[in-house]
Amino acid sequence: MISQEILAAVKQYTTSLTKDVKLIVQVGNHSKRDELMAFLREFTSASEKLSLEERDVPAILRSPISFQLEVDGDASGIIFSGIPSGHEFNSFVLAVLQAGGTALKLDESVKTIVRAVAEPLHFEVFVSLSCHNCPDVVQLLNQFALLNPHISSEMIDGGLFPQLIAERDIQGVPSVYLNGELFANGKVDTPQLLEKLLQRSPDLANANQGVKLPRQDVTIIGGGPSGVAAAIYAARKGLAVTLIADRIGGQVKDTVGIENLISVPKTTGSELTSALMAHMNDYAITLKEHVSVTEVMDDNAIKSIKLSTGELIESKTLIIATGARWRELGVPGEKENVGSGVAYCPHCDGPFFKGKDVAVIGGGNSGVEAALDLAGIVRSVKLFEFLPELKADKVLVDKAKVASNIEIYINAKTTSVEAETGKVSALHWQDRESGESHRQPLDGIFVQIGLVPNSQFLGDLVETTRHGEIVVNEKCQTSVPGIFACGDVTTVPYKQIVIAMGEGSKAALSAFEYLLTR
């Protein structure tokens, strides 16, 4: 199951293990058990620090295809229910390495909050092995388990537990349960999970209360291409630089294929994200990852940035590079059914609709690409576009028009989402030309109507357009001296990676020029 090339890589990685890691597999029979055992035997052959044991522990392991990591004889709190292949293979490897002594990839302020948890927390993360967002959640909660013995985290492959999926009406991944109750679903990141944890246990917010970080020359909010470019350019000028990000890569990390980054003929979002991180690591940049900004205050010469962890950063200049997020339809039934038929990521949630009827809302490149991707999985795709014609590139439109199971509707205004027994059952839409209303029975709706700038956390601090884009001039200056903005969060046209990188570089140079005049 594991290729010789990958096994060789695992052998290299596991040379850093300082602790013994044993994989404890629940005894019993299952159609996939032999496959799991073969997979784990191959994996544990990579190092003398790794071993495999079958044991009856039904109070912890739910199935004969469940196993837990035990470290130096003690339970780690990390459980896998299923065969962690596909995108979850990295989660498995990382869990073993971190359990065996490799440093955790979490900010110290986040660690402090997690260590403060004093009640038993058992997280269940339902995943699809084809989902590229799921590993982020699995890897985060695995680290939580390693930090605190009160916390455990279980990855559950939804494809191997159909009865459990049906019982909980799960229609999207990742779907996170805490102590048996739904905690979060859909695309979630570390700051969102931390926020939910703090809402559940407000006392945890006191863990970092009053922590004040060293004053910076430049603080950048946002870890996408524009934010990373700004950080590198500012660091190259010898400035004290901090970058704050919920995750490095931003929306780029979710992009499957990238073919328009000049000088790089073809790459992926995950590969580009790794390259951004590697380049940034070459410089003295303070990274505050997995946290969000709750408030920004301007006192002329000093900008104060309050973090979700309770920390405070003071900075002489500020660069906003927070990018954008998926735009919502804003119709009745949409938010209520996210994870129950309404989705925003066809790559993650498409497999849950195999053989079913779905709709894609949006006729731009992302919408038509989603329809084409889904057409190979589902029974039928109804593609709805608000305008009189599809906005996607001609090559994509031509492919969609000849696809046997894609139907295209133009001048179509989505009016509401209908659900029955907790699941999407129909889409209501109106023909904008005739005014006639229609009801389209279906099982899922994939929303692909563009992006919304992430500027809400700023309040009215800087000037924005009615759409929320930060107004900037040719030097990335905002309406507030000392505050700059770049990338997709701004009024700069053409939201492209290469443009965001250029704007981030320009913002850093402008901040440096501003500091020279102070």
Side-chain angles (χ1 to χ4, degrees):
M1 290 183 65
I2 303 176
S3 71
Q4 290 302 309
E5 182 180 0
I6 292 176
L7 190 60
V10 172
K11 288 180 179 179
Q12 180 63 37
Y13 295 146
T14 52
T15 58
S16 64
L17 293 177
T18 58
K19 301 176 182 178
D20 293 323
V21 180
K22 181 178 288 186
L23 309 181
I24 308 299
V25 188
Q26 174 61 27
V27 299
N29 297 310
H30 191 281
S31 60
K32 288 284 186 177
R33 182 174 172 79
D34 289 345
E35 185 178 341
L36 172 66
M37 294 302 294
F39 171 83
L40 295 181
R41 286 191 191 99
E42 281 186 290
F43 186 86
T44 53
S45 70
S47 171
E48 292 182 354
K49 289 283 187 180
L50 301 176
S51 60
L52 179 64
E53 179 184 325
E54 297 178 76
R55 192 187 302 166
D56 189 20
V57 280
I60 300 173
L61 302 178
R62 70 175 67 242
S63 162
I65 52 169
S66 298
F67 66 95
Q68 67 171 327
L69 274 60
E70 198 173 83
V71 183
D72 286 343
D74 296 321
S76 68
I78 297 176
I79 302 166
F80 290 89
S81 286
I83 304 170
S85 56
H87 287 298
E88 292 303 336
F89 183 71
N90 285 343
S91 298
F92 174 47
V93 173
L94 198 56
V96 170
L97 295 179
Q98 291 173 338
T102 301
L104 303 185
K105 296 182 177 180
L106 286 177
D107 189 85
E108 286 302 320
S109 60
V110 176
K111 292 179 182 178
T112 300
I113 290 174
V114 174
R115 288 186 179 118
V117 172
E119 61 174 318
L121 301 180
H122 177 61
F123 290 97
E124 299 166 292
V125 188
F126 290 86
V127 307
S128 164
L129 298 182
S130 62
C131 168
H132 57 272
N133 289 323
C134 295
D136 287 342
V137 180
V138 172
Q139 291 167 22
L140 170 69
L141 295 177
N142 283 346
Q143 291 182 80
F144 282 13
L146 291 172
L147 282 168
N148 191 322
H150 295 296
I151 301 175
S152 58
S153 176
E154 178 182 8
M155 182 220 80
I156 303 173
D157 178 2
L160 296 182
F161 293 88
Q163 184 175 346
L164 193 55
I165 292 291
E167 287 174 1
R168 302 198 189 183
D169 280 337
I170 295 172
Q171 290 191 320
V173 291
S175 189
V176 184
Y177 281 73
L178 173 56
N179 294 345
E181 300 292 331
L182 183 64
F183 183 69
N185 62 3
K187 186 171 173 284
V188 290
D189 52 31
T190 303
Q192 290 172 320
L193 289 171
L194 275 177
E195 183 180 347
K196 288 179 177 292
L197 193 58
L198 290 170
Q199 288 173 351
R200 187 179 184 275
S201 305
D203 290 346
L204 295 176
N206 297 324
N208 291 299
Q209 203 65 40
V211 176
K212 193 173 181 180
L213 301 172
R215 181 171 294 181
Q216 299 294 290
D217 294 319
V218 181
T219 296
I220 298 141
I221 306 175
S226 61
V228 172
I232 290 172
Y233 261 71
R236 285 176 62 85
K237 290 294 185 181
L239 302 176
V241 182
T242 287
L243 185 142
I244 305 165
D246 52 6
R247 62 174 185 165
I248 299 301
Q251 286 285 347
V252 161
K253 194 171 184 180
D254 299 330
T255 305
V256 176
I258 300 170
E259 300 180 353
N260 58 357
L261 183 58
I262 308 307
S263 84
V264 183
K266 189 171 185 179
T267 186
T268 66
S270 59
E271 289 172 349
L272 180 55
T273 297
S274 297
L276 290 172
M277 177 65 89
H279 196 174
M280 192 165 56
N281 285 341
D282 287 340
Y283 297 90
I285 297 168
T286 300
L287 176 60
K288 298 290 295 182
E289 194 180 5
H290 304 314
V291 301
S292 60
V293 173
T294 59
E295 187 179 4
V296 175
M297 296 155 282
D298 174 45
D299 185 19
N300 295 320
I302 298 299
K303 322 302 175 187
S304 298
I305 304 105
K306 188 173 183 181
L307 306 183
S308 56
T309 54
E311 299 165 291
L312 187 72
I313 297 177
E314 291 185 344
S315 187
K316 297 175 184 177
T317 62
L318 178 63
I319 297 176
I320 311 297
T322 44
R325 66 185 183 278
W326 293 115
R327 184 183 298 276
E328 298 177 350
L329 288 166
V331 300
E334 179 187 16
K335 283 190 175 181
E336 296 88 336
N337 292 290
V338 171
S340 297
V342 173
Y344 300 88
C345 180
H347 305 290
C348 304
D349 298 335
F352 285 91
F353 297 88
K354 185 176 181 180
K356 297 183 179 181
D357 302 308
V358 303
V360 172
I361 314 299
N365 282 346
S366 60
V368 177
E369 286 174 354
L372 291 168
D373 288 342
L374 289 165
I377 301 172
V378 304
R379 180 166 55 194
S380 70
V381 180
K382 306 290 190 295
L383 177 62
F384 293 89
E385 167 55 42
F386 183 82
L387 297 176
E389 61 182 17
L390 298 181
K391 300 170 290 182
D393 294 341
K394 184 178 184 298
V395 63
L396 295 173
V397 173
D398 290 344
K399 287 181 180 179
K401 286 181 176 178
V402 300
S404 61
N405 61 342
I406 296 178
E407 292 182 43
I408 299 172
Y409 298 82
I410 56 174
N411 271 322
K413 178 184 178 182
T414 304
T415 54
S416 66
V417 175
E418 180 184 325
E420 293 180 5
T421 63
K423 295 182 179 181
V424 165
S425 56
L427 174 74
H428 291 261
W429 63 281
Q430 182 183 54
D431 187 317
R432 295 176 60 236
E433 189 172 6
S434 67
E436 186 176 353
S437 296
H438 301 269
R439 178 184 181 274
Q440 178 63 57
L442 42 73
D443 304 292
I445 299 168
F446 290 83
V447 182
Q448 300 281 289
I449 57 172
L451 301 169
V452 177
N454 294 317
S455 60
Q456 293 75 18
F457 71 98
L458 294 169
D460 58 1
L461 179 63
V462 297
E463 181 185 356
T464 61
T465 67
R466 63 188 180 90
H467 299 296
E469 292 180 324
I470 299 174
V471 178
V472 294
N473 64 10
E474 71 280 0
K475 288 191 172 182
C476 298
Q477 295 168 327
T478 70
S479 58
V480 177
I483 298 183
F484 305 83
C486 53
D488 289 4
V489 75
T490 72
T491 50
V492 170
Y494 311 120
K495 313 303 187 187
Q496 299 291 310
I497 296 170
V498 69
I499 292 174
M501 287 179 171
E503 289 296 305
S505 306
K506 189 200 299 182
L509 294 174
S510 295
F512 177 69
E513 183 179 74
Y514 171 85
L515 289 169
L516 287 179
T517 65
R518 305 303 290 177

